Amino acid sequence: MDIELAGRKALVSGSSQGIGQAIATELARSGASVVVNGRSQDKTERAAEEIRKDVPGAEVIPIAADLASAEGADQLKEQIGELDILVNNLGIFGAKPVLEIDDDEWRRYFEVNVLSAVRLIRMYLPGMMERGFGRVMNIASDSAVVTPLEMVHYGMTKTALLAVTRGYAKAAAGTGVTVNSVMAGPTHTPGVEDFVHELVGDELPWDEAQAQFMKEHRPYSLIQRLIEPAEIGNMVVYLSSEQASATTGGAVRVDGGYIDSILP
């Protein structure tokens, strides 16, 4: 399948590292002009430069803004204008016993992981609908349907994103705009490496630590390894394309078969 995104402008929130940077790289590789975003100007510019090295000739626009706030979202839109592709990747996660999560922490996770996506969709979806083309993707997680005991607050936000996705897909019905969730499984990023070592200890070499983590904490994975970020980026590229025009309102899995169900 030849996917060509030339002439399309994409924003990937939280893309100064990890999964977000990988998604931005694959979109750029397919010809899209990509806005890379993070809170730190230095990290955002560094990520943009790394993408340009991976994809010579790519148009990559680094913009530092805190998209977990309305002010940050407004600031970003003033600089980039309208979009064809919106990827809501911004998110935080961490392990904490559920009985120790206080009100402020519940609110913080909802603000960053859910409301940031809602705000950007509300900001960009009307223009997409008017132009008759648009692609919105919310990066969810296997944790949306397999709530992890060690981070229930995180799982709650990803479940909420599935509902947000379905609702906005209905709002865009018949306009040529699609809205989907991408349900990522356990993925190999620096943050997840830290999380793995937090759970299994720092003394093991990485390969052994990863294997123990998958065995003890993610035993239902059918690929029995962490997913590489580019594998998620490939799914986003497809969903961003003309070829994916009949896929909307869905929760598309890139989970390594972790979710033990034939449906999300």
Side-chain angles (χ1 to χ4, degrees):
M1 185 181 296
D2 183 17
I3 293 177
E4 178 56 66
L5 299 179
R8 303 296 189 190
K9 183 191 292 185
L11 163 65
V12 184
S13 69
S15 50
S16 62
Q17 62 183 0
I19 292 173
Q21 183 174 337
I23 291 170
T25 300
E26 298 311 316
L27 287 168
R29 202 184 308 281
S30 296
S33 168
V34 181
V35 178
V36 174
N37 159 258
R39 288 182 299 175
S40 161
Q41 187 68 39
D42 288 344
K43 286 184 66 176
T44 303
E45 290 181 355
R46 189 181 314 121
E49 186 57 35
E50 289 173 359
I51 294 171
R52 294 189 193 105
K53 288 179 181 178
D54 285 343
V55 189
E59 183 179 1
V60 187
I61 307 160
I63 297 183
D66 182 2
L67 298 186
S69 70
E71 294 79 10
D74 289 339
Q75 173 191 341
L76 180 138
K77 188 170 185 183
E78 286 177 6
Q79 297 181 66
I80 68 173
E82 293 295 337
L83 293 171
D84 303 296
I85 300 164
L86 169 62
V87 184
N88 287 307
N89 171 74
L90 177 63
I92 55 175
F93 68 94
K96 192 165 189 178
V98 67
L99 294 177
E100 296 177 13
I101 304 170
D102 62 20
D103 287 2
D104 288 340
E105 192 77 342
W106 281 107
R107 291 190 189 98
R108 184 170 76 95
Y109 268 72
F110 186 83
E111 288 273 349
V112 176
N113 292 6
V114 182
L115 193 53
S116 67
V118 168
R119 187 181 295 118
L120 289 173
I121 296 171
R122 195 172 59 219
M123 183 175 288
Y124 286 108
L125 189 62
M128 294 178 179
M129 292 166 64
E130 288 175 9
R131 294 188 300 275
F133 179 89
R135 298 290 186 261
V136 177
M137 281 145 286
N138 297 315
I139 305 303
S141 167
D142 59 84
S143 297
V145 296
V146 184
T147 305
L149 178 60
E150 71 274 9
M151 48 183 185
V152 174
H153 51 338
Y154 170 78
M156 172 275 298
T157 65
K158 296 305 181 178
T159 305
L161 280 180
L162 300 189
V164 165
T165 296
R166 186 68 185 176
Y168 279 113
K170 290 180 177 181
T175 66
V177 179
T178 67
V179 185
N180 290 289
S181 294
V182 176
M183 298 177 66
T187 304
H188 184 192
T189 66
V192 168
E193 285 196 17
D194 293 340
F195 180 62
V196 167
H197 284 300
E198 184 180 326
L199 291 179
V200 305
D202 294 326
E203 64 280 358
L204 292 175
W206 168 245
D207 287 346
E208 294 180 25
Q210 176 183 185
Q212 183 173 329
F213 170 78
M214 296 302 291
K215 180 179 180 180
E216 294 180 0
H217 298 279
R218 300 295 184 268
Y220 297 116
S221 170
L222 299 183
I223 61 174
Q224 298 182 3
R225 63 169 174 83
L226 291 172
I227 296 158
E228 291 303 320
E231 295 175 299
I232 298 167
N234 291 336
M235 178 61 78
V236 170
V237 167
Y238 168 68
L239 291 174
S240 300
S241 71
E242 296 279 3
Q243 289 92 327
S245 58
T247 302
T248 191
V252 183
R253 290 160 53 174
V254 189
D255 68 336
Y258 175 73
I259 299 170
D260 192 15
S261 169
I262 59 175
L263 293 172

